[in-house]
């Protein structure tokens, strides 16, 4: 669902550990999902996407899992590095009358500890 | 390959002035989106445009805000008679079509004093 103005959830992990960031989406008709990374002072940067006909997709050090039954999305980052510190947003793509709208989740701030 | 270019990066306006935010999409992208972000929050959809047409403006405030994407030149988000509550980061994104990842610019940070 969309951000409701609360403080961002935070996740701290040790460098080298794996991290899992979770997201719940709102629209059962959504069929395309994207994870973005946002560093301070910058715009969101595409990480990985997944379509609803899949339940898992892997990239370089990242894996996205999709559970349509419970409308849940997760992002797994393997062997975290200091450069992974950022805010991570999931987004669901909603198509209404042929027009695309990307709806962002609240975001999670990931901090990598040395 | 230039990404989405937004300018200015920072804009300061006094209450009552006008703010114009510019966005040049990725070359070849004909779909442009504007989002607003408050500190510690997610991005809120404002408007979706294709060349010369507004497709979805459901996230735009009814008054003072307008957007355009002319046949030639950048997309413009215009805020008239700004108020303090308009202070935020405004992000533009572009895509080549529906169901394609949006490519974001680095935003314009508007401060209304």
């Amino acid at each position: 669902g969309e951000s409701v103005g609360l403080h961002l959830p935070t996740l701290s992990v040790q460098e080298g550990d794996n991290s899992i960031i979770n997201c719940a989406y709102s629209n059962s008709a959504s069929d395309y999902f994207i994870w973005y990374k946002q560093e301070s002072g910058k715009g969101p940067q595409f990480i990985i996407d997944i379509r609803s006909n899949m339940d898992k997709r892997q990239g370089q050090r990242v894996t996205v899992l999709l559970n349509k039954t419970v409308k849940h999305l997760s992002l797994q980052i393997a062997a975290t590095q200091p450069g992974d510190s950022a805010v991570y947003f999931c987004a669901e793509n909603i198509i209404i009358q042929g027009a695309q709208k990307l709806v962002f989740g609240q975001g999670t701030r990931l901090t990598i500890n040395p | 390959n230039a990404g989405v270019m937004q300018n200015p990066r920072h804009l300061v306006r006094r209450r009552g002035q006008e703010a114009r935010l510019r966005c040049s999409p990725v070359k070849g992208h004909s779909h442009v989106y504007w989002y607003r972000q408050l500190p510690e929050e997610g991005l809120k959809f404002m408007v979706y445009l294709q060349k010369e047409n507004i497709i979805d403006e459901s996230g735009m405030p009814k008054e003072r805000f307008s957007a355009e994407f002319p046949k030639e030149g950048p997309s413009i988000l215009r805020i008239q008679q700004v108020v303090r509550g308009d202070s935020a980061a405004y992000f533009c994104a572009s895509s080549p079509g529906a169901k394609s990842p949006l490519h974001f610019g680095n935003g314009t940070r508007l401060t209304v004093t």
Side-chain angles (χ1 to χ4, degrees), chain A residues 1-20:
Chain A
E2 294 199 37
S3 167
V4 294
L6 302 175
H7 289 297
L8 288 175
T10 58
L11 175 65
S12 292
V13 298
Q14 290 297 122
E15 183 178 350
D17 286 354
N18 300 332
S19 64
I20 300 176

Side-chain angles (χ1 to χ4, degrees), chain B residues 78-99:
Chain B
R78 183 183 177 204
I79 311 173
Q80 295 177 289
Q81 299 175 334
V82 295
V83 301
R84 288 219 171 102
D86 297 333
S87 295
Y90 292 85
F91 290 95
C92 172
S94 72
S95 77
K99 294 193 180 182

Side-chain angles (χ1 to χ4, degrees), chain A residues 63-74:
Chain A
T63 302
V64 55
L65 299 177
L66 174 63
N67 185 330
K68 294 180 288 293
T69 303
V70 295
K71 293 189 286 187
H72 183 268
L73 203 62
S74 68

